[in-house]
């Protein structure tokens, strides 16, 4: 079981994918990082897929939660190469894709990390976050993002991981939100003036 941490005193089954929904600036990214940090403290693997911030910024924020040196924490950075900031090369901690449009590349990099964590390092519990689906939906149509997510969430389910995906509720119409929500086992909602709440579907 995965405990989501102090803010959400909830345990979820391995293979669970959660959608983290809320208006802008209600702490979705921060909460997702908290959920991953709770796992890192327990010796689990953490993978952060970022389509909004470069890896350095994400890792700085993650480092405010705990010292992750020597721990299995990896980032798939979909931003830095697109910005064209000098030459960047993959290393053990950070893998780069060409842009948030490169969903095939995102899937490949995630699979590489998961294979390394599960097979080479023997980590059976891993938490994966993607921030943010709203960025993907800016670059690609709903059908393309849905297909990508179907594969991505299926991969997390098959390896018994925990997936946390953020989306800006205000940026998308009801059809888009309802289509995306179909792929998730539970929804965490952040609010401007109240703590987050979570709803897990009964299987």
């Amino acid at each position: 079981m995965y405990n989501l941490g102090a803010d959400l005193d909830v345990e979820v089954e391995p293979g669970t994918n959660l959608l983290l929904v809320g208006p802008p600036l209600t702490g979705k990214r921060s909460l997702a990082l908290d959920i991953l940090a709770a796992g890192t403290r327990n010796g689990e693997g953490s993978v952060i897929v970022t389509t909004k911030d470069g890896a350095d910024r994400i890792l700085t924020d993650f480092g405010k939660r705990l010292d992750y040196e020597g721990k299995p924490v990896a980032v798939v950075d979909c931003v830095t190469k697109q910005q064209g900031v000098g030459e960047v090369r993959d290393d053990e901690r950070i893998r780069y894709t060409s842009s948030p449009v490169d969903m095939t590349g995102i899937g490949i990099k995630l699979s590489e990390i998961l294979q390394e964590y599960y097979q080479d390092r023997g980590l059976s519990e891993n938490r994966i976050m993607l921030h943010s689906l709203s960025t993907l939906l800016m670059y690609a149509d709903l059908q393309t993002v849905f297909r990508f997510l179907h594969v991505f969430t299926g991969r997390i389910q098959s390896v018994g991981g925990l997936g946390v995906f953020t989306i800006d509720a205000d940026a998308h119409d009801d059809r888009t939100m309802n289509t995306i929500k179909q792929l998730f086992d539970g929804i965490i909602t952040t609010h401007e003036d109240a703590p987050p709440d979570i709803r897990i579907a009964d299987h």
Side-chain angles (χ1 to χ4, degrees):
M1 298 288 280
Y2 289 94
N3 189 303
L4 300 185
D7 286 349
L8 297 159
D9 193 19
V10 176
E11 289 200 329
V12 297
E13 299 277 346
T16 296
N17 286 288
L18 300 172
L19 186 64
L20 216 168
V21 182
L25 306 174
T26 52
K28 294 183 295 297
R29 174 177 173 273
S30 181
L31 181 57
L33 287 170
D34 288 345
I35 291 170
L36 262 67
T40 306
R41 281 188 199 95
N42 293 335
E44 298 169 16
S46 289
V47 186
I48 303 163
V49 181
T50 174
T51 63
K52 275 195 159 181
D53 306 301
D56 291 348
R57 184 172 166 200
I58 280 279
L59 286 169
T60 298
D61 280 1
F62 198 68
K64 290 173 186 168
R65 289 159 171 80
L66 79 165
D67 179 7
Y68 60 80
E69 278 308 314
K71 295 187 168 71
V73 175
V75 179
V76 178
D77 178 337
C78 313
V79 181
T80 301
K81 270 195 175 176
Q82 188 186 29
Q83 292 171 340
V85 192
E87 268 296 303
V88 288
R89 293 225 169 95
D90 286 5
D91 59 32
E92 192 175 301
R93 178 88 64 203
I94 305 169
R95 317 286 163 100
Y96 297 93
T97 69
S98 57
S99 77
V101 187
D102 182 16
M103 294 185 211
T104 305
I106 296 170
I108 290 168
K109 301 289 183 183
L110 177 72
S111 292
E112 285 174 3
I113 295 166
L114 288 178
Q115 186 168 349
E116 180 192 315
Y117 281 9
Y118 278 98
Q119 294 179 358
D120 304 347
R121 297 204 193 188
L123 295 163
S124 60
E125 294 186 316
N126 295 280
R127 301 184 184 211
I128 300 96
M129 76 176 255
L130 190 152
H131 177 72
S132 151
L133 295 180
S134 295
T135 311
L136 300 184
L137 288 160
M138 272 168 38
Y139 289 102
D141 62 39
L142 177 58
Q143 194 178 1
T144 304
V145 174
F146 183 86
R147 278 201 305 266
F148 162 73
L149 267 181
H150 190 268
V151 173
F152 199 109
T153 54
R155 181 97 175 93
I156 291 169
Q157 195 176 355
S158 69
V159 297
L162 168 66
V164 182
F165 298 72
T166 69
I167 191 165
D168 278 331
D170 297 2
H172 312 289
D173 60 24
D174 288 348
R175 176 176 163 265
T176 300
M177 290 301 295
N178 290 333
T179 302
I180 296 289
K181 282 176 181 175
Q182 292 172 38
L183 292 167
F184 291 90
D185 307 298
I187 294 173
I188 301 170
T189 309
T190 56
H191 308 278
E192 285 172 5
D193 49 7
D197 55 70
I198 182 164
R199 201 172 72 248
I200 305 285
D202 295 323
H203 288 300

